[in-house]
Amino acid sequence: MKHAHYLLGTLLVAGLFSTQALADGIRASLTLSKTNFTSAEDIKVQVTLTNEEAVPVRVLKWYTPAEGVEEALFKVSVNGVETDYLGAHYKRPAAQQKDYIQLKSGQSVSYEVELSSLYDLSKTGQYEISYHAESYTLFTNNPGQDKKLARLGITGISSAPVSFYLEAKQGSITTTAKPGDGGGTTVNGVTFTGRCSNTQQTSILAGLAAAKTMSADAKNYLTSYSSPSSSVRYKTWFGNYDAGRWSTVRGNFNNIDSALNTQPLTFDCSCKKSYFAYVYPTQPYKVYLCNAFWTAPTSGTDSKGGTIVHELSHFNVVAGTDDLAYGHSAAKSLAISNPAQAVQNADSHEYFAENTPAQN
Amino acid sequence: MSNAVQGGQTSQQLQLHCSTSAGSEAWQLQVQIQNKDTTPWLILRWHSPLDAWFSEFLHISQNGQKLQYQGAKAKRGEPAEEDLLLLAPGATHTEWLDLTQAYQLAMVPALVQFSPIAVMPHKAGQALRWQSDQQQQLLCPELRLLPTGGAPQPSSPQTGQR
């Protein structure tokens, strides 16, 4: 049995796991790469499951991280108080053979799990986590075999606890664990749902700050530009000058800027599609962020900030825009061919706000 | 009507055919795209019935009033392979739509109109890549639906209300 991968820095090494040979079963061990984190970092823990039986053992995948964490596999507490699990619980059909993984005698498997997207880690303090999976059908879908294991005292998979310190975000934080949407954490009026990890939350807040900067700039420009009819910036994205259309766009940016600064925004991280983001225009102010968002720059063309401006413009109570043309090239063409549609187009608003390369 | 398809030719010369029909359940309909060509075609899913409900690709009216779209709207970059459907020569693609997932319909007849679908000829064996300069528009015929399911009988006087 090897303990080398237990971190020295971990607290509360219980001393139970190695010496006690209570028919063993599957042993879990947790390893953290460090013991001090800030809220800007993801908190990754390595889970190792080892079969300490002399015979092969099968384990129900649902109670391992084999295909992502799909149950509350960990007990997490901060300063001694248990925290909420924000991830999913699944209702499933009865376990079948294919739902088990087999470990040979002595064999180990390791998984890396990111915790900040799964548990409420919004408080500053000393955290303690341990692996704790129990299920009637954990080791077999054969009830007779299960009873035999239970008599031997093998009912689940547990690990010794490991511990880390987390410096949480400053400001007012509330958490609501709601079924279905992965719960939510609200930091200074911005709510995160759908398992946003720490690094995702940090990059959303950076994108939101960029969105506020560019929407304020757009609003000010449209309010005070001295010679609207000769504005190259406006003409590029919204076509030939027209007082009514200029006023429409100015109103849209007043609303976008106001929503960004005064409305309770929610960002959801559960989307796995190739899009940047999507919203339901009838359901302000929740923005669903998808794959392309995470690789976008904070500001500039097709950036995180610009994407947030784009999505806010879709809400019917904000500007009610459509997606009539996507991308710089198509949006520029739309401005020339159909200015009335350009002032209804979400990307046209985004590109006007991003203003890259900068135009006057 | 919301429509990200800009430019391109209309479907008159196309060897692709779009047909629409009412389902047996209320507010359900079927869209079929048939490739009558001897070569494959690519269909851009965005803003088409293959994109339900991540874009507004229908214009639905009841009593002459446009219904509010309650589905999602998405920001997208360049079309990727997953955004395209390859339709082989002779093949038909069928899509079912349940309008109640994105619209609140009253119990009166509805007129459903479709945004043009962006399509592009494809050479067999080539990578699935969208080239907007080659795109053309496929038009799908509008459809009248009854609140009881199905479409009006041809004989019924359903021509009022524009």
Side-chain angles (χ1 to χ4, degrees):
Chain A
M1 198 180 300
K2 285 164 61 184
H3 305 143
H5 48 283
Y6 273 91
L7 259 204
L8 292 174
T10 61
L11 302 180
L12 295 167
V13 177
L16 286 171
F17 52 86
S18 61
T19 49
Q20 287 205 337
L22 44 92
D24 303 335
I26 300 291
R27 180 169 61 83
S29 64
L30 304 182
T31 310
L32 287 163
S33 56
K34 55 185 195 166
T35 54
N36 269 291
F37 292 90
T38 70
S39 61
E41 297 171 286
D42 285 345
I43 295 168
K44 291 179 178 162
V45 62
Q46 185 177 310
V47 178
T48 303
L49 304 178
T50 305
N51 177 10
E52 303 198 321
E53 294 289 317
V55 294
V57 172
R58 294 182 311 135
V59 182
L60 187 54
K61 273 192 278 192
W62 307 338
Y63 293 92
T64 76
E67 289 170 359
V69 173
E70 300 185 332
E71 295 292 339
L73 296 179
F74 301 88
K75 276 191 173 164
V76 181
S77 64
V78 54
N79 303 325
V81 180
E82 196 161 330
T83 64
D84 287 324
Y85 169 65
L86 302 176
H89 293 280
Y90 287 73
K91 170 166 170 55
R92 309 180 194 257
Q96 297 174 15
Q97 293 281 357
K98 66 174 174 56
D99 297 318
Y100 289 79
I101 49 172
Q102 176 158 309
L103 292 179
K104 291 179 211 143
S105 176
Q107 188 186 356
S108 292
V109 282
S110 287
Y111 308 98
E112 188 179 74
V113 176
E114 202 289 303
L115 288 174
S116 66
S117 60
L118 294 170
Y119 288 85
D120 172 19
L121 305 186
S122 58
K123 292 192 180 66
T124 294
Q126 193 71 28
Y127 282 78
E128 191 177 286
I129 57 169
S130 57
Y131 195 86
H132 187 82
E134 266 189 14
S135 162
Y136 202 56
T137 53
L138 184 56
F139 298 114
T140 173
N141 53 352
N142 171 348
Q145 177 72 5
D146 203 53
K147 282 180 190 133
K148 199 163 87 189
L149 289 167
R151 276 202 300 277
L152 291 168
I154 303 170
T155 55
I157 304 175
S158 312
S159 76
V162 293
S163 181
F164 62 89
Y165 184 81
L166 174 68
E167 183 75 40
K169 288 187 178 66
Q170 299 298 307
S172 132
I173 297 163
T174 54
T175 301
T176 47
K178 283 179 286 182
D181 67 355
T185 307
T186 303
V187 181
N188 294 332
V190 179
T191 301
F192 301 103
T193 62
R195 297 184 176 197
C196 299
S197 70
N198 275 347
T199 50
Q200 286 177 324
Q201 292 183 22
T202 301
S203 63
I204 292 167
L205 292 175
L208 179 57
K212 287 179 180 177
T213 302
M214 57 179 80
S215 79
D217 172 74
K219 177 181 121 173
N220 293 339
Y221 182 93
L222 291 160
T223 307
S224 58
Y225 191 68
S226 54
S227 174
S229 59
S230 58
S231 164
V232 178
R233 178 176 173 184
Y234 175 89
K235 187 174 180 177
T236 301
W237 303 114
F238 297 116
N240 283 333
Y241 172 75
D242 168 275
R245 289 197 298 264
W246 177 286
S247 160
T248 297
V249 176
R250 184 179 58 209
N252 288 346
F253 274 106
N254 282 343
N255 291 351
I256 292 167
D257 185 62
S258 168
L260 284 170
N261 287 291
T262 65
Q263 296 300 330
L265 306 175
T266 297
F267 294 98
D268 186 282
C269 300
S270 59
C271 173
K272 299 291 179 256
K273 292 177 179 286
S274 60
Y275 318 151
F276 283 87
Y278 66 89
V279 296
Y280 293 89
T282 53
Q283 297 171 28
Y285 294 88
K286 183 165 187 174
V287 180
Y288 297 80
L289 303 169
C290 307
N291 290 355
F293 181 84
W294 305 114
T295 51
T298 301
S299 56
T301 302
D302 289 317
S303 59
K304 291 188 175 77
T307 297
I308 293 171
V309 169
H310 174 121
E311 296 305 329
L312 268 282
S313 80
H314 275 321
F315 291 123
N316 293 333
V317 294
V318 175
T321 60
D322 287 320
D323 291 310
L324 301 155
Y326 290 120
H328 257 209
S329 155
K332 282 181 184 169
S333 302
L334 186 65
I336 294 164
S337 67
N338 197 330
Q341 284 193 350
V343 303
Q344 310 257 358
N345 186 43
D347 259 357
S348 305
H349 287 75
E350 173 179 339
Y351 297 144
F352 180 84
E354 289 170 345
N355 193 26
T356 46
Q359 291 179 316
N360 273 313
Chain B
M1 192 184 313
S2 184
N3 168 25
V5 180
Q6 298 290 328
Q9 307 164 43
T10 60
S11 61
Q12 277 150 8
Q13 320 88 322
L14 285 183
Q15 291 301 307
L16 287 181
H17 182 72
C18 178
S19 61
T20 56
S21 57
S24 54
E25 299 282 314
W27 310 129
Q28 292 193 359
L29 62 89
Q30 188 191 56
V31 179
Q32 284 197 316
I33 302 170
Q34 189 182 3
N35 182 359
K36 296 181 166 176
D37 211 340
T38 52
T39 55
W41 280 77
L42 289 179
I43 297 167
L44 182 61
R45 294 174 179 273
W46 301 355
H47 296 257
S48 88
L50 287 69
D51 193 30
W53 297 96
F54 283 96
S55 54
E56 187 176 359
F57 54 87
L58 297 178
H59 184 284
I60 305 183
S61 52
Q62 289 188 307
N63 293 328
Q65 296 277 334
K66 180 183 188 292
L67 298 191
Q68 186 179 56
Y69 170 66
Q70 301 190 344
K73 289 180 180 175
K75 170 173 168 63
R76 329 202 189 208
E78 293 296 313
E81 221 176 287
E82 68 186 70
D83 300 314
L84 305 175
L85 175 78
L86 179 66
L87 199 60
T92 299
H93 179 81
T94 303
E95 204 68 46
W96 282 95
L97 296 176
D98 176 357
L99 301 184
T100 63
Q101 290 179 350
Y103 295 90
Q104 284 203 323
L105 292 115
M107 294 303 281
V108 296
L111 174 65
V112 182
Q113 295 168 301
F114 298 80
S115 293
I117 300 173
V119 297
M120 190 194 109
H122 181 71
K123 286 198 181 72
Q126 281 193 344
L128 296 184
R129 200 166 71 82
W130 188 255
Q131 288 159 290
S132 50
D133 58 343
Q134 292 184 31
Q135 82 177 33
Q136 302 182 38
Q137 292 189 1
L138 172 64
L139 304 180
C140 296
E142 67 180 38
L143 189 65
R144 285 178 191 280
L145 295 177
L146 293 175
T148 49
Q153 296 301 312
S155 57
S156 68
Q158 204 59 50
T159 48
Q161 316 246 10
R162 51 187 195 99

